[in-house]
């Protein structure tokens, strides 16, 4: 019987977005399964592919065989493969892109080709030296030699085998261990048989008899017993011990001890929130919950107790946390409660470390994963709960193909596993809260803080007023005074500088000239450490100039407030304050982020100064003051969500103050004190903000009243970009109903990146059954041009970045 494998090849293109049939060589019958990767011939090339089906017939008259195996067990579960199909239809990506998105980067790394001698004796003498007394040689080493013909022949004769090795397999760390193969009785018997003169062997036997050790590191064993390897070899020959390589995981939390934490007894509100979740867990039903709990209301404790219930059922849990909040504090909480059952996945880990964490999940060695966005694809097969903390965070949306939102994946997986999905936040997105109001999601409210003190009081300071009264500093008088009081009382403060949508750019005070990137339509950012101007989009750099290139004025200097500058001023104003600065510069080294927070937690500093990095998830008992230096920088970004983002951020930052016994205070400095998102964040009034913002969204036809789709076209030539975008817009106009609003073609807010012009068209719609088909047609139509002329057409259904 001949068996065939349907394979999705690694060529992300329309024409190849389907399975191709390959013959399975007899030696792999019964071995190849869906979810495994193989190398297959494709035209003149060898490429990677995913097996999606194994069958005993094909309609293809002439199939070629699979060349080699990459995996020896499936790396995608049947559920994930099904999910990939859904993802393809839902985001209009290619199946292969969906598969790739589900795997850790290490598995996508380059692989190495090896020639392996299946029979070293059969290798001719002139080739022997290449093998350096092993049975393998790198293909590249041989490829350039005159022996190529011989090699080819040897491959045909099966003396040599080609083997593709994924690079990271080499970086997998192993240790040599000795494993006991027999019972204690057998050990005693061996002691009788083995000559007394073989003292080392007796030492070994005694060791295993006395210590109950089943398995031990070889090196440790040799050192411990002070014996040579020959004794071990002798016992291996007798079948008493077995020598083998065992994987060691590079556990990033290896040297840390976690004090075991016990479940706290829940408050009334926590109790009320957890009951419906536990109900859904017990009943094995899928339900989506919105846990709307103010900052410091104890959401994490509810998550952990729900996870605990799931583990007791023998099931697994996925907990998503935004990258930025994946702080040691959050990780510690889960590690302390669930110990070695937890895998942690975030971008701070090296590729190898991430791979190790993924493998623990894949091998079912852990039951809980706490991770950033991509952890939603954890290859668990028995999921009992999915939790998304800080569900409003935009980092849950992937801005690259496949352009998915982790929330949607969570809901899809929740339906598959018939388990609850919990979306937690003090400031849910309007989309989520609107669904909760309609009863699509179940709303769980926790409006009380754990601490007696309740929500911190917020003072909004008008910085224009400060300036009018002669204060030119970046600190208002009120904030400075309050900082001083904290220093006197030995309490701590957090100072937050909103960097997003804001940068330190260089501008001429006389003519207004701003230094821009020559390749992207965006201003260059000033970097003090290197005294260079840098482009954040393409990496272009140039030295800082002292005069304006446009008018020669010397009033040419940089604007914007960097954390460094704040720190300098702070040390001038409060020379005795101990300040910890947290920004990209001070946290780029591995582990430094964590070290700084630890120092602050140990009260080795009075003030923690930082950017977005410190806005979330921090829970320090002695923080009684939070200062927001510039509350409104984000309000000026051209994005319909800017008010929502400002409200969320202000609420989250304020939430760091007064979380325990001591009462908290917040000072918000702003140039737009009358803006409703600043005002309502000041009174902790989410519901009013929600109402107000909903009216505005309705008026301007934005989500959640309308859906959005964004088509972006990029190319080196402006005329090409404009014509193509125009054609696409016209086409969509014809295909869609009159209710759809099509905006465009217009230049994208960032009109050029890396010398490529960017145009876009935005579609606002309520119900457009034709939309997906129409967009697919658009991609198909431009596929050839996309391949040949490097034209790019990106489609984002439900975009979060309109830039
Ligand atoms: N039932 C409880 N009894 C006593 N303390 C609790 C209880 N639940 C939570 N806490 C404590 O209350 C504090 C605040 O809780 P937590 O950090 O979970 O709040 P949160 O809702 O996640 O806040 P945020 O949204 O700001 O991150 C923590 O120190 C936590 O240990
Ligand atoms: Zn000038
Ligand atoms: Zn640039």
């Amino acid at each position: 019987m001949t068996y065939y494998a349907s394979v999705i090849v690694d060529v992300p293109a329309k024409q190849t977005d389907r399975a191709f049939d390959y013959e399975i060589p007899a030696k792999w019958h019964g071995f190849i399964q869906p979810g495994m990767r193989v190398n297959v011939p494709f035209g003149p090339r060898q490429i990677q592919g995913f097996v999606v089906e194994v069958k005993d017939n094909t309609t293809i008259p002439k199939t070629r065989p699979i060349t080699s195996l990459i995996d020896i067990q499936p790396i995608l579960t049947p559920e994930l493969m099904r999910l990939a199909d859904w993802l393809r239809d839902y985001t209009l990506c290619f199946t292969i892109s969906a598969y790739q998105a589900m795997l850790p980067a290490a598995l996508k790394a380059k692989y190495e080709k090896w020639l392996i001698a299946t029979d070293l004796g059969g290798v001719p003498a002139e080739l022997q030296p290449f093998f350096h007394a092993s049975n393998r040689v790198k293909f590249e080493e041989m490829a350039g030699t005159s022996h190529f013909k011989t090699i080819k022949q040897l491959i045909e004769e099966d003396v040599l085998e080609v083997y593709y090795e994924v690079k990271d397999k080499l970086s997998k760390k192993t240790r040599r261990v000795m494993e006991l193969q027999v019972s204690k009785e057998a050990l005693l018997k061996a002691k009788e048989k083995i000559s007394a003169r073989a003292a080392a062997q007796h030492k070994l036997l005694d060791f295993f008899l006395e210590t109950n050790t089943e398995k031990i590191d070889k090196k440790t064993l040799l050192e411990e017993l002070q014996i040579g390897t020959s004794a071990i070899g002798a016992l291996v020959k007798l079948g008493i011990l077995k020598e083998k390589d065992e994987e060691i995981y590079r556990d990033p939390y290896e040297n840390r001890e976690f004090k075991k934490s016990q479940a706290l007894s829940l408050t009334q509100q926590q109790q009320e929130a957890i009951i419906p979740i536990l109900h859904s867990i017990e009943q094995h039903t899928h339900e989506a919950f919105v846990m709307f709990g103010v900052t410091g209301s104890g959401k994490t404790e509810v998550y952990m107790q729900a996870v605990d219930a799931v583990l007791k059922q023998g099931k697994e849990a996925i907990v998503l946390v935004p990258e930025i909040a994946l702080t040691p504090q959050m990780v510690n909480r889960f590690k302390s409660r669930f110990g070695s059952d937890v895998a942690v996945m975030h971008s701070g880990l090296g590729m190898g470390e991430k791979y190790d964490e993924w493998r623990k999940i894949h091998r079912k060695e852990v039951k809980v994963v706490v991770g950033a966005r991509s952890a939603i694809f954890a290859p668990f097969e028995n999921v009992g709960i999915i939790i998304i903390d800080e569900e409003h965070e935009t980092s849950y949306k992937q801005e690259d193909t496949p352009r998915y939102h982790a929330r949607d994946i969570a809901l899809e997986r929740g339906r598959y596993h018939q388990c609850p999905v919990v979306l937690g936040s003090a400031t849910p997105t309007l989309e989520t809260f609107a669904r909760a109001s309609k009863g699509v999601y179940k709303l769980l409210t926790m409006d009380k803080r754990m601490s007696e003190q309740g929500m911190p009081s917020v003072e909004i300071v008008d910085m224009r007023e400060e300036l009018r009264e002669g204060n030119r500093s970046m600190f208002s008088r009120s904030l400075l005074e309050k900082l001083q009081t904290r220093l006197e009382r030995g309490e701590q403060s957090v100072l937050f500088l909103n960097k997003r949508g804001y940068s330190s750019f260089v501008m001429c005070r006389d003519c207004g000239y701003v230094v821009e990137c020559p390749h992207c339509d965006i201003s260059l950012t000033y970097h003090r450490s290197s005294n260079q101007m840098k482009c954040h989009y393409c990496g272009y750099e140039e030295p800082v100039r002292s005069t304006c290139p446009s008018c020669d004025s010397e009033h040419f200097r940089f604007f914007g407030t960097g954390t460094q500058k704040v720190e300098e001023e702070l040390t001038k104003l409060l020379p005795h304050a101990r300040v910890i600065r947290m920004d990209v510069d001070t946290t780029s080294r591995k582990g430094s982020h964590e070290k700084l927070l630890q120092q602050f937690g140990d009260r080795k500093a009075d003030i923690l100064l930082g950017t977005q990095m410190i806005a979330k998830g921090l829970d320090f008992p002695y923080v009684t003051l939070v200062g927001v230096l510039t509350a409104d920088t984000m309000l000026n970004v051209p994005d319909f969500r800017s008010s929502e983002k400002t409200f969320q951020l202000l609420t989250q930052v304020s939430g760091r103050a007064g979380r325990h016994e001591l009462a908290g205070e917040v000072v918000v400095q702003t140039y737009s004190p009358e803006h409703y998102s600043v005002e309502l964040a000041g009174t902790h009034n989410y519901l009013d903000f929600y109402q107000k913002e909903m009216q505005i969204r309705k008026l301007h036809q934005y989500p959640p009243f309308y859906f959005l789709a964004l088509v972006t076209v990029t190319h080196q030539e402006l005329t090409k970009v404009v014509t193509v975008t125009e054609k696409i817009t016209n086409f969509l106009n014809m295909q869609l109903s009159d209710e759809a609003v099509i905006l465009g073609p217009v230049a994208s807010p960032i009109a050029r990146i890396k010398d490529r012009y960017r145009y876009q068209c935005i579609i606002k719609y309520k119900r457009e059954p034709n939309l997906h088909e129409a967009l697919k047609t658009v991609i198909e139509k431009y596929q050839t041009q996309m391949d040949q002329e490097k034209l790019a057409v990106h489609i984002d259904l439900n975009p979060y970045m309109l830039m």
Side-chain angles (χ1 to χ4, degrees), residues 264-267 270 294-301 333 390 450 619 656 659-660:
L264 302 170
S265 74
L266 298 181
T267 62
Q270 285 174 320
V294 296
T295 55
S297 58
K299 296 185 284 294
T300 316
E301 185 62 30
R333 282 190 185 177
E390 315 281 6
M450 271 302 141
D619 184 32
R656 300 310 113 204
R659 292 167 71 88
H660 294 253

Side-chain angles (χ1 to χ4, degrees), residues 235-248:
L235 294 191
V236 169
K237 261 205 189 115
L238 291 171
I240 294 172
L241 293 181
K242 192 172 164 188
E243 186 166 346
K244 66 176 194 183
D245 284 330
E246 196 179 72
E247 249 179 75
I248 38 176

Side-chain angles (χ1 to χ4, degrees), residues 658-674:
R659 292 167 71 88
H660 294 253
E661 276 90 48
L662 303 168
E665 265 188 298
V666 180
V667 176
V668 174
Q669 303 187 158
T670 175
Y671 290 91
S672 19
E674 64 291 330

Side-chain angles (χ1 to χ4, degrees), residues 84-229:
D85 290 341
W86 176 85
L87 193 56
R88 173 199 58 211
D89 297 339
Y90 183 72
T91 67
L92 297 178
C93 70
F94 302 119
T95 318
I96 190 73
S97 314
Y99 288 159
Q100 299 290 19
M102 296 175 171
L103 296 178
L107 284 180
K108 288 170 259 174
K110 285 258 179 305
Y111 41 79
E112 277 181 339
K113 248 181 271 167
W114 291 85
L115 280 178
I116 299 185
T118 49
D119 165 22
L120 200 55
V123 176
E126 73 259 33
L127 287 185
Q128 287 281 354
F130 288 100
F131 283 86
H132 313 295
S134 79
N135 71 334
R136 48 162 59 194
V137 60
K138 269 205 192 131
F139 188 76
E140 279 72 30
E141 253 179 71
M142 309 289 301
T145 66
S146 58
H147 302 297
F148 198 68
K149 260 197 180 149
T150 327
I151 294 166
K152 199 165 164 248
Q153 198 184 339
L154 289 172
I155 293 173
E156 276 160 19
E157 286 168 6
D158 266 347
V159 175
L160 291 182
E161 192 185 345
V162 183
Y163 177 68
Y164 300 84
E165 187 164 43
V166 181
K167 267 242 176 75
D168 64 83
K169 275 196 187 147
L170 296 174
S171 66
K172 206 193 292 170
K173 281 194 193 154
T174 58
R175 62 169 188 162
R176 208 73 316 194
V177 293
M178 303 309 306
E179 198 176 61
L180 186 62
Q181 299 294 302
V182 297
S183 65
K184 288 221 159 162
E185 288 75 52
L187 280 177
L188 285 168
K189 266 203 199 123
K191 266 190 82 71
E192 282 169 21
K193 266 199 223 149
I194 293 171
S195 152
R197 272 178 298 153
Q201 292 183 41
H202 280 280
K203 260 192 185 174
L204 268 169
L205 293 171
D206 290 340
F207 173 82
F208 282 99
L209 272 168
E210 286 159 17
T211 59
N212 286 326
T213 306
E214 297 267 331
K215 191 164 70 182
I216 182 168
D217 191 66
K218 186 177 179 184
K219 222 170 116 215
T220 318
L221 187 64
L222 291 172
E223 280 167 11
E224 191 103 331
L225 301 184
Q226 295 286 316
I227 54 168
T229 47

Side-chain angles (χ1 to χ4, degrees), residues 223-281:
E223 280 167 11
E224 191 103 331
L225 301 184
Q226 295 286 316
I227 54 168
T229 47
S230 60
I232 289 183
L235 294 191
V236 169
K237 261 205 189 115
L238 291 171
I240 294 172
L241 293 181
K242 192 172 164 188
E243 186 166 346
K244 66 176 194 183
D245 284 330
E246 196 179 72
E247 249 179 75
I248 38 176
Y249 293 121
R250 288 151 289 204
D251 182 353
Y253 295 92
E254 191 169 51
N255 299 319
R256 202 103 39 80
E257 276 192 30
F258 294 98
K259 252 207 349 249
K260 182 92 186 131
S261 78
Q262 299 298 330
L264 302 170
S265 74
L266 298 181
T267 62
Q268 179 74 20
Q269 281 207 325
Q270 285 174 320
Q271 194 68 37
E272 279 164 21
I274 203 170
I275 287 171
I277 302 174
L278 294 179
H279 187 77
S280 164
I281 293 170

Side-chain angles (χ1 to χ4, degrees), residues 507-513 547-553 555-556:
M507 190 173 94
C508 172
R509 286 208 165 182
D510 287 326
C511 76
Y513 177 88
T547 54
C548 173
S550 169
C551 75
D552 279 337
S553 156
H555 295 133
F556 193 62

Side-chain angles (χ1 to χ4, degrees), residues 350-366:
M351 188 163 90
E353 289 168 331
K354 263 190 226 159
Y355 178 56
D356 287 346
E357 296 298 296
W358 182 86
R359 282 179 65 86
K360 286 187 204 164
I361 302 166
H362 189 232
R363 296 171 148 210
K364 311 286 171 341
E365 292 169 354
V366 291

Side-chain angles (χ1 to χ4, degrees), residues 516-524 534-541 752-755:
E516 288 191 345
C517 173
H519 310 285
C520 313
D521 283 346
I522 192 120
S523 53
L524 295 177
K534 275 189 201 165
C535 172
H536 278 194
Y537 284 85
C538 73
Y540 169 86
E541 278 185 51
R752 192 172 50 130
I753 294 181
K754 294 186 196 171
D755 286 323

